[in-house]
Amino acid sequence: MKILSFANQKGGEGKSALTKLTAGALSMAPFNLKVLVIDADTQGSIIAHRNRDIATLGEDYEFPYKVEFSFPEKLPKLITTIKQQGKYDVVLIDMPGRGYGDDINVLLSCLDIAIIPIAKGDEDTDASLDFLENLKQHNDERKKAKYPKLNLYILYNKFDNTANAKASVEIFEAIKEEFGIEEKILFLPLREDFQNYSPKTSTSILLELKGKQGHKKDTYESFIEFCKFIKKII
Ligand SMILES: Nc1ncnc2c1ncn2[C@@H]1O[C@H](COP(=O)(O)OP(=O)(O)OP(=O)(O)O)[C@@H](O)[C@H]1O
Ligand SMILES: [Mg+2]
């Protein structure tokens, strides 16, 4: 079992949306994994959606994956318990955006894999560079403590083939070795239906979107490819 998070201190990069989509996709065919999502964002957006979904669909509704809430400082203890129970194949942690503060190392120390979603834009680039610096320091601490490295990947989210988006990718590709980022390049296109749809439910809508009007098949396929990759690294 691996603990994975879409992490970036910048808000709006797609952490929560990607957490829900990935959790939903991995818990359904063809993956059929046992997935737990821990909402460690004090805004509690995923747990709030789950509670709303329960209110609408009823207590007995079988959600594809489980959602729990944890305050950041309580996360290490919760993770230890979950590891002991061995009920899940993968745990996804929804990280807070701003305000990691002193909690950052507490949160990062719980993870095996961090996928850093980066959207195009100067602010996104600057904040993501700062976050990479934090991750580098965290991995230096792990090394000193002879603790396994936190595996880092970048996911270029909301990618749209514009010169701006390509320039952002070039910046990160040029420095990623220095920051200990794994070589694999992950892209997720900008898509209207993620924008309008994904935050509204605690479960993934990816599979439900298949075949819907306006849905681009290649994006669905690329997300499934992405999940195949995740399955390999967990
Ligand atoms: N590939 C994408 N294409 C279009 N919209 C996207 C994509 N990924 C995420 N979004 C949208 O971007 C918005 C911000 O995403 P999300 O709330 O997941 O960000 P976040 O990183 O969790 O932010 P916060 O730090 O505030 O929690 C949401 O409306 C989400 O649906
Ligand atoms: Mg979020």
Side-chain angles (χ1 to χ4, degrees):
M1 185 196 69
K2 289 271 165 53
I3 317 288
L4 182 150
S5 179
F6 294 99
N8 195 332
Q9 65 192 7
K10 174 83 175 62
E13 299 297 281
K15 297 180 290 292
S16 303
L18 288 165
T19 301
K20 288 185 270 187
L21 288 164
T22 308
L26 289 177
S27 58
M28 293 180 203
F31 303 104
N32 298 315
L33 298 179
K34 292 192 202 95
V35 182
L36 171 67
V37 168
I38 301 176
D39 188 345
D41 184 353
T42 41
Q43 289 177 77
S45 65
I46 296 188
I47 195 75
H49 287 146
R50 173 54 57 96
N51 289 338
R52 233 174 287 148
D53 287 348
I54 292 173
T56 315
L57 299 164
E59 290 282 347
D60 296 334
Y61 185 83
E62 280 195 34
F63 289 98
Y65 58 89
K66 200 169 159 15
V67 179
E68 276 188 39
F69 175 78
S70 172
F71 286 105
E73 64 275 17
K74 302 235 164 100
L75 199 56
K77 202 161 167 237
L78 179 62
I79 295 289
T80 307
T81 312
I82 288 163
K83 281 184 175 163
Q84 281 162 357
Q85 288 170 340
K87 281 202 296 191
Y88 298 99
D89 298 312
V90 61
V91 176
L92 299 175
I93 299 180
D94 189 34
M95 292 284 207
R98 288 178 197 287
Y100 274 130
D102 293 340
D103 290 335
I104 185 165
N105 280 300
V106 176
L107 288 165
L108 295 176
S109 66
C110 296
L111 307 179
D112 300 307
I113 300 162
I115 300 181
I116 306 138
I118 300 179
K120 58 161 186 176
D122 293 345
E123 255 186 60
D124 305 83
T125 303
D126 290 348
S128 300
L129 284 170
D130 285 348
F131 188 57
L132 289 189
E133 193 57 56
N134 286 332
L135 290 167
K136 191 170 180 235
Q137 281 169 15
H138 177 76
N139 260 335
D140 288 346
E141 294 299 321
R142 283 195 182 209
K143 202 170 175 185
K144 271 189 230 152
K146 297 197 166 35
Y147 197 75
K149 180 182 176 236
L150 171 58
N151 286 320
L152 305 173
Y153 297 87
I154 290 178
L155 187 155
Y156 298 104
N157 191 24
K158 310 189 188 183
F159 187 76
D160 63 2
N161 257 323
T162 55
N164 229 355
K166 285 184 190 159
S168 164
V169 172
E170 266 176 37
I171 291 172
F172 289 98
E173 288 305 305
I175 52 135
K176 70 183 199 179
E177 197 180 333
E178 182 193 334
F179 286 90
I181 312 277
E182 308 291 331
E183 269 310 300
K184 172 91 179 168
I185 302 185
L186 302 166
F187 285 105
L188 201 63
L190 178 81
R191 40 180 293 162
E192 292 296 318
D193 40 16
F194 282 8
Q195 190 87 46
N196 303 327
Y197 215 68
S198 60
K200 289 186 187 149
T201 167
S202 68
T203 55
S204 165
I205 42 68
L206 183 76
L207 300 182
E208 292 161 26
L209 282 175
K210 202 176 177 184
K212 279 214 171 155
Q213 212 185 0
H215 173 70
K216 292 193 190 88
K217 185 165 174 273
D218 58 277
T219 311
Y220 171 85
E221 299 294 340
S222 73
F223 198 80
I224 293 294
E225 281 308 310
F226 169 67
C227 289
K228 282 185 187 161
F229 169 71
I230 302 275
K231 196 176 172 193
K232 255 193 254 164
I233 62 170
I234 58 175

